[in-house]
């Protein structure tokens, strides 16, 4: 898309902004560049992940050095009289921001009821990170995990051994966080697609049962289907993007959740989608006739 | 250098100590200070080079760590990285505000300071990083990458200032730092997700 290069839209970011992430981690950017990076970080979980990596690199430069002994007492004394701040420094989340089902259902209802530009406009804004007082802590932390954490720990004074024991399930936390970020991003994109006056929504019954709809706006496609019939375990629904010339390219196998599927395909430049039933794992090219085709 | 035992504790242990002190018990902060105070002090000292200034920054940072412990997110990086990031940010802010003050007061002092920054940097890095993982990785950079990264890090400078100091074009400096950090990232094995 032409926009991708010029980067004028709210969702678009100048491509060179990614290159500024190392400078951001080094605190080496001027204000203009820093704000550009912060906008990127607001909308892009991959950029945040990359920044975290650069920060780890930068932190490796710190040569641990014992601070002056007197400092310990003075810090601990100040800590006694300094109240802690809660985990969340952001203003209360707007509806639709809550991770998980709320995000999905906002997508569903909006799709079902036609283009409602205002309905979707808030979630994206509400996700704005970087509002915190800290360089980092405010970022993307409407942090349910740490809220839960602080509740669980309460006032308990924990021994090192116990603390090490609870540190294990980090991988689960990582997965949950990644999924939450993904859903949040998706809801933001869909909200913007709905707000696009050029966007269109198509609906059609699926051969064999169920309803499919697709929202097409600015090169992006958001596909949803409900009440899909169960498939044999060795078969899967596969989504295809239909190009203006009629050719198709795979948009992946659809993960089904009780007959419902949804998929956001970004910058697909297609005029619509098609769904076929393929062997589990998907095919390079469709091997069966589509059960539904939705094209503008 | 003799290290107190807690310094050798695993990343998970230190992370968990920090997480645990988010419950509001000031007594739980003492082990956190012992584990992370040296990181805060080391990161500040690297940029400020003045022990008194670094001690002040360390005090501010460690109180901030206590205040905002609930916002630490272990899924985004270690407690060590978090504290080093906070400390470096504050140290850089201090260098910049000091520099701005000097800029206003006395242009020639500022000039002298700029030069001294550069001199100290090159020698210090070689010596101070002795034995650290990052030392070996820095040696894997090209000389120009190394210079740009080191000057940006230890000088607490912006890209623009690095370019001025190295007498190089701004885009050149940006790409040297980017490429340098990317190589360090690979060398240090820093990859999330």
């Amino acid at each position: 898309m032409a926009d991708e290069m010029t980067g004028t839209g709210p969702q678009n970011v100048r491509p060179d902004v990614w290159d500024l992430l190392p400078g951001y981690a080094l605190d080496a950017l001027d204000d203009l560049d820093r704000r550009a990076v912060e906008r990127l970080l607001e909308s892009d979980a991959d950029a945040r992940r990359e920044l975290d990596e650069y920060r780890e690199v930068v932190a490796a430069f710190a040569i641990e050095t014992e601070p002056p002994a007197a400092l310990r007492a003075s810090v601990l004394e100040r800590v006694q009289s300094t109240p802690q701040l809660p985990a969340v420094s952001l203003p209360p989340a707007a509806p639709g921001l809550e991770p998980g089902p709320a995000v999905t259902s906002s997508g569903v209802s909006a799709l079902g009821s036609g283009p409602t530009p205002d309905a979707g406009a808030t979630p994206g804004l509400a996700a704005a990170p970087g509002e915190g007082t800290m360089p980092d802590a405010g970022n993307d932390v409407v942090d349910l995990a740490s809220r839960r954490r602080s509740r669980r720990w309460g006032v308990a004074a924990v021994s090192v051994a116990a603390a090490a024991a609870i540190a294990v399930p980090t991988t689960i936390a990582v997965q949950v966080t990644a999924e939450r970020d993904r859903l949040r991003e998706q809801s933001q994109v869909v909200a913007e697609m709905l707000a696009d006056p050029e966007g269109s929504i198509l609906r059609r019954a699926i051969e064999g049962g169920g309803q499919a709809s697709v929202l097409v706006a600015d090169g992006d496609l958001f596909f949803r289907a409900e009440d899909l019939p169960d498939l044999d375990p060795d078969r899967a629904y596969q989504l295809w993007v239909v190009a203006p010339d009629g050719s198709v390219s795979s948009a992946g196998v659809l993960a089904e959740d009780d007959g419902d599927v949804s998929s956001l395909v970004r910058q697909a430049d297609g005029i619509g989608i098609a769904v076929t039933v393929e062997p589990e794992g998907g095919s390079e090219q469709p091997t069966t006739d589509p059960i539904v085709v939705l094209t503008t | 250098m003799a290290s107190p035992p807690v310094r050798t504790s695993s990343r998970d242990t230190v992370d968990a100590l920090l997480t645990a002190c988010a419950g509001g018990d000031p007594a739980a902060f003492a082990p956190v200070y012992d584990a992370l105070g040296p990181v805060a002090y080391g990161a500040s000292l690297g940029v400020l080079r003045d022990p008194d200034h670094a001690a002040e920054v360390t005090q501010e940072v460690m109180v901030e760590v206590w205040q905002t412990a609930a916002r630490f997110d272990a899924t985004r990086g270690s407690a060590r990285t978090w504290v080093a990031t906070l400390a470096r940010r504050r140290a850089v802010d201090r260098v910049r505000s000091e520099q701005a003050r000097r800029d206003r007061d006395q242009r020639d002092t500022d000039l002298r300071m700029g030069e001294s920054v550069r001199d100290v940097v090159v020698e210090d890095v070689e010596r101070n990083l002795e034995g650290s993982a990052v030392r070996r990785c820095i040696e894997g950079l090209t000389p120009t990458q190394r210079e740009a990264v080191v000057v940006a890090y230890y000088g607490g400078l912006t890209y623009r200032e690095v370019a001025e100091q190295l007498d190089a074009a701004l885009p050149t400096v940006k790409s040297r730092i980017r490429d340098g950090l990317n190589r360090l990232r690979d060398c240090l094995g820093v990859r999330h997700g």
Side-chain angles (χ1 to χ4, degrees):
Chain A
M1 301 234 72
D3 254 11
E4 209 174 20
M5 297 314 294
T6 51
T8 49
Q11 179 70 19
N12 288 327
V13 176
R14 278 155 45 204
D16 65 310
V17 172
W18 272 88
D19 291 346
L20 295 172
L21 286 170
Y24 189 83
L26 275 166
D27 297 308
L29 302 185
D30 57 31
D31 289 349
L32 206 67
D33 282 346
R34 198 170 56 239
R35 280 196 295 274
V37 172
E38 276 159 6
R39 278 196 300 277
L40 169 67
L41 295 170
E42 279 170 18
S43 61
D44 197 319
D46 287 337
R48 290 196 291 273
R49 198 151 37 239
E50 196 159 309
L51 173 66
D52 290 340
E53 293 175 359
Y54 288 128
R55 284 200 164 137
E56 206 170 321
V57 170
V58 170
F61 278 88
I63 302 151
E64 299 186 21
T65 311
E66 209 58 56
L71 206 56
R72 186 178 196 270
S74 92
V75 167
L76 295 181
E77 193 191 315
R78 281 183 59 182
V79 157
Q80 291 286 343
S81 58
T82 307
Q84 285 185 308
L85 300 174
V88 180
S89 63
L90 300 176
L97 213 211
E98 283 301 307
V103 171
T104 317
S105 64
S106 82
V108 176
S109 58
L111 256 189
S113 59
T116 47
D118 289 334
T122 34
L125 291 175
E131 305 273 86
T133 53
M134 317 255 311
D136 188 29
N139 283 358
D140 82 284
V141 198
V142 177
D143 198 336
L144 295 184
S146 60
R147 245 186 282 169
R148 246 177 254 127
R149 207 151 54 209
S150 46
R151 201 161 49 228
R152 170 157 20 109
W153 283 103
V155 292
V158 177
S159 74
V160 172
I166 62 106
V168 177
T170 313
T171 36
I172 296 167
V174 171
Q175 286 159 7
V176 170
T177 306
E179 176 66 4
R180 183 192 61 195
D181 285 348
R182 194 186 65 78
L183 288 171
R184 188 180 296 168
E185 246 177 283
Q186 177 166 313
S187 85
Q188 184 173 345
V189 172
V190 172
E192 280 168 15
M193 290 168 71
L194 286 165
D196 186 340
E198 309 268 294
S200 57
I201 291 177
L202 308 162
R203 288 174 66 83
R204 179 163 292 176
I206 296 169
E207 215 176 294
Q211 280 283 333
S213 53
V214 66
L215 167 61
V216 185
D218 195 25
D220 297 334
L221 298 161
F222 182 67
F223 170 77
R224 253 203 77 79
E226 296 157 4
D227 305 325
L228 286 168
D230 287 342
L231 292 179
D232 292 337
D234 61 344
R235 311 291 282 174
Y237 291 109
Q238 186 166 0
L239 185 66
W240 307 89
V241 173
V242 182
D245 66 2
S247 65
V248 299
S249 55
S250 174
V253 169
L254 294 163
E256 190 198 345
D257 179 15
D258 203 19
D260 292 350
V261 297
S262 72
S263 181
L264 174 65
V265 188
R266 309 242 19 221
Q267 299 300 311
D269 288 335
I271 55 164
I273 56 87
V275 177
T276 61
V277 176
E278 300 292 336
E280 186 191 12
S283 306
E284 292 284 312
Q285 289 294 320
T287 61
T288 61
D289 289 335
I291 54 170
V292 67
V293 179
L294 292 162
T295 54
T296 50
Chain B
M1 234 194 291
S3 305
V6 70
R7 196 104 60 85
T8 61
S9 18
S10 73
R11 176 197 154 161
D12 279 354
T13 309
V14 178
D15 289 0
L17 283 172
L18 178 55
T19 303
C21 92
D25 179 6
F29 191 69
V32 174
Y33 178 87
D34 292 335
L36 296 171
V39 177
Y41 187 66
S44 316
L45 199 60
V47 174
L48 293 166
R49 275 185 292 278
D50 177 280
D52 293 335
H53 284 281
E56 282 173 32
V57 166
T58 302
Q59 166 149 330
E60 291 166 13
V61 168
M62 292 313 290
V63 172
E64 184 182 1
V65 166
W66 155 257
Q67 268 187 301
T68 58
R71 294 178 194 171
F72 165 66
D73 182 354
T75 63
R76 296 201 49 195
S78 67
R80 184 189 189 278
T81 296
W82 189 55
V83 170
T85 303
L86 293 177
R88 187 184 147 73
R89 169 68 52 87
R90 274 184 189 258
V92 167
D93 282 349
R94 192 174 271 241
V95 165
R96 300 233 169 106
S97 60
E98 180 71 5
Q99 222 164 27
R101 195 182 61 75
R102 280 165 194 259
D103 276 352
R104 277 198 310 274
D105 294 354
Q106 241 176 315
R107 290 211 152 276
D108 54 347
T109 313
D110 181 53
L111 238 163
R112 260 208 333 271
M113 198 183 147
E115 273 173 22
S116 72
V117 164
R118 185 179 189 178
D119 291 346
V120 176
V121 160
V122 181
E123 295 152 19
D124 270 10
V125 171
E126 300 295 318
R127 195 168 53 243
N128 288 347
L129 291 176
E130 203 66 60
S132 70
V134 75
R135 168 75 193 263
R136 181 178 57 82
C137 292
I138 282 178
E139 279 165 1
L141 305 185
T142 69
T144 53
Q145 286 171 352
R146 191 186 328 178
E147 188 180 40
V149 169
V150 160
V151 167
Y153 182 86
Y154 289 95
L157 301 180
T158 64
Y159 277 154
R160 202 172 306 281
E161 291 164 331
V162 174
E164 279 167 23
Q165 196 156 104
L166 300 182
D167 204 14
L170 188 58
T172 311
V173 162
K174 283 185 184 178
S175 64
R176 279 180 195 166
I177 291 180
R178 185 197 59 216
D179 296 346
L181 247 57
N182 278 330
R183 281 169 83 157
L184 288 173
R185 180 172 66 163
D186 293 340
C187 177
L188 290 165
V190 176
R191 286 282 178 185
H192 298 170

